[in-house]
Amino acid sequence: MKTGTDRVKRGMAEMQKGGVIMDVVNAEQARIAEEAGAVAVMALERVPSDIRAAGGVARMADPRIIEEVLNAVSIPVMAKARIGHIVEARVLEAMGVDYIDESEVLTPADEEYHLYKSDFTVPFVCGCRDLGEAARRIGEGASMLRTKGEPGTGNIVEAVRHMRKVNGQVRKVVGMNEDELMTEAKLLGAPFELLLEIKRLGRLPVVNFAAGGVATPADAALMMQLGADGVFVGSGIFKSENPAKFARAIVEATTHYQDYKLIAELSKELGAPMKGIEISSLSPENRMQERGW
Amino acid sequence: MVKVGVLALQGAVREHIRSVEECGVEGIAIKKVDQLKEVDGLILPGGESTAMRRLIDKYGFMDALKEFAAEGKPMFGTCAGLILLAKNLVGHEPHIGVMDITVERNSFGRQVDSFEADLAIKDVSDNFPAVFIRAPHIVEAGAEVEILSKHNDRIVAAREGQFLGCSFHPELTENHDITAYFVDMVKEAKAKQLV
């Protein structure tokens, strides 16, 4: 009997496919998310848009909030640790969190090194903007990927950019000859063995979800069409006027992402989505996606 | 040739379809209720049972799934799918409720307790690589239920006539023995209907 194997850690993310993972800040929100059909919740102290508004250093959530959420729902509970913060990650693992997001939404603890995630029993999800970044994270032991997008903006444009970029680069690798892959690995800054594996499988070896800017059911469906395996929704749900209704609509749009009549129906009278931020109005130091490498 | 459906509301659909195809029959992702008519057997995949249940209700799958069972067509539930099939759940109301077993959810613990183990499964394999992820187990099985496998004294695979269920995820491995066992069940059931 073996725990913490790649198969067990990656397999856990496979089970989330086609589903929606929702940011929650307390037990009540977690129950609303579970009731709406979320496949997991991300327990946070503040959603990304509030982290953005508050400024200062954003850290791992208060363990009491995480404990409260762990006790409130039967679906998996994820939590965020700062990039490179070994102890925050170990604390979350010790608490029995089901997945850790080594996340650029929090202020990085290490500007040079990410966590060596293979050392942990608990699986990790990490953000990526391109295949090089995706492959480096998998190389360190990430069992699941997500686009970085631009969290807390309610603007889908960056998530679209990142999903298209990664998938385009995967297609390129799959179409290349083996003798071209080492040079591609050098150019991407990606582990060579992973490119070989991607070529053999015809896809990434782990699931890749959309995250960072999903604000409407149509946004979620768009990301699924672009090849996302599922969707993270952060600020979008509990910053909307009717979170329960909004959450259900996002879940359905993710399942039936090509059923446009249905998406039209469930987008009706949802109330105002979060206001959103135009990306060009964010100065580079305020772009969370620039954190990590 | 028989056709095997995989309920495709959420979860490990692609892997099951691949496994079915490896067994030499056609696999179909079932997203709409009408599609159930096209298939001779149905796999309920791993995923999150609460999320699947919400979508089952939303799209009116529940009656159609019960009818599918009533027609005697084989159904195979893995992990979350096992939970959907069970007549009784510890601490929760049952879902489709057709297989005479009592199932406890997340009974091996949280994700850090998820594990791999080699299992002997009666009539299937002496050494099956089983992947348990936040897995349920069968607490109690009715008189007509045949127990196929146990892990540490817990029932983790069982069959009751047309119903097959397991706690683990055969779709995450390259071993298709248990899928092949199910495909045989589907072939037998279809042959009987034609007679």
Side-chain angles (χ1 to χ4, degrees), chain B:
Chain B
M1 194 172 85
V2 297
K3 290 180 184 172
V4 174
V6 179
L7 188 66
L9 295 174
Q10 189 270 316
V13 177
R14 178 181 68 201
E15 291 75 9
H16 269 300
I17 290 195
R18 193 181 48 101
S19 188
V20 165
E21 286 168 352
E22 288 287 329
C23 297
V25 297
E26 189 179 344
I28 297 175
I30 307 287
K31 282 209 153 196
K32 298 275 163 84
V33 174
D34 294 348
Q35 291 175 284
L36 282 174
K37 294 191 187 79
E38 297 170 29
V39 296
D40 309 299
L42 184 69
I43 295 177
L44 306 164
E48 284 305 320
S49 60
T50 51
M52 281 190 215
R53 173 57 195 270
R54 230 205 77 70
L55 293 165
I56 283 173
D57 288 347
K58 182 76 200 179
Y59 300 113
F61 261 102
M62 190 50 91
D63 288 344
L65 288 168
K66 285 182 175 165
E67 200 178 307
F68 192 89
E71 285 167 4
K73 290 180 181 165
M75 297 169 91
F76 176 24
T78 66
C79 196
L82 173 74
I83 294 168
L84 294 178
L85 285 180
K87 267 190 189 162
N88 301 293
L89 296 178
V90 176
H92 296 267
E93 288 300 306
H95 302 297
I96 309 171
V98 287
M99 186 169 172
D100 190 13
I101 50 174
T102 302
V103 169
E104 185 178 353
R105 295 178 60 199
N106 299 338
S107 66
F108 292 89
R110 303 201 69 96
Q111 172 59 17
V112 287
D113 306 304
S114 293
F115 62 97
E116 287 183 55
D118 291 333
L119 293 182
I121 307 172
K122 187 173 176 288
D123 300 332
V124 175
S125 171
D126 295 332
N127 203 13
F128 190 88
V131 186
F132 292 82
I133 296 174
R134 289 170 44 92
H137 87 281
I138 299 170
V139 183
E140 240 181 278
E144 302 301 314
V145 177
E146 184 181 15
I147 293 162
L148 301 181
S149 185
K150 284 187 176 187
H151 176 74
N152 290 348
D153 290 329
R154 291 174 167 195
I155 306 169
V156 293
R159 175 177 179 179
E160 182 192 17
Q162 77 198 87
F163 303 117
L164 179 66
C166 64
S167 305
F168 47 88
H169 293 282
E171 73 277 15
L172 292 180
T173 68
E174 298 302 315
N175 185 316
H176 305 293
D177 290 349
I178 197 161
T179 309
Y181 178 87
F182 178 66
V183 167
D184 285 343
M185 282 170 59
V186 177
K187 285 177 181 166
E188 280 166 31
K190 189 169 189 185
K192 261 187 214 162
Q193 278 180 339
L194 293 177
V195 170

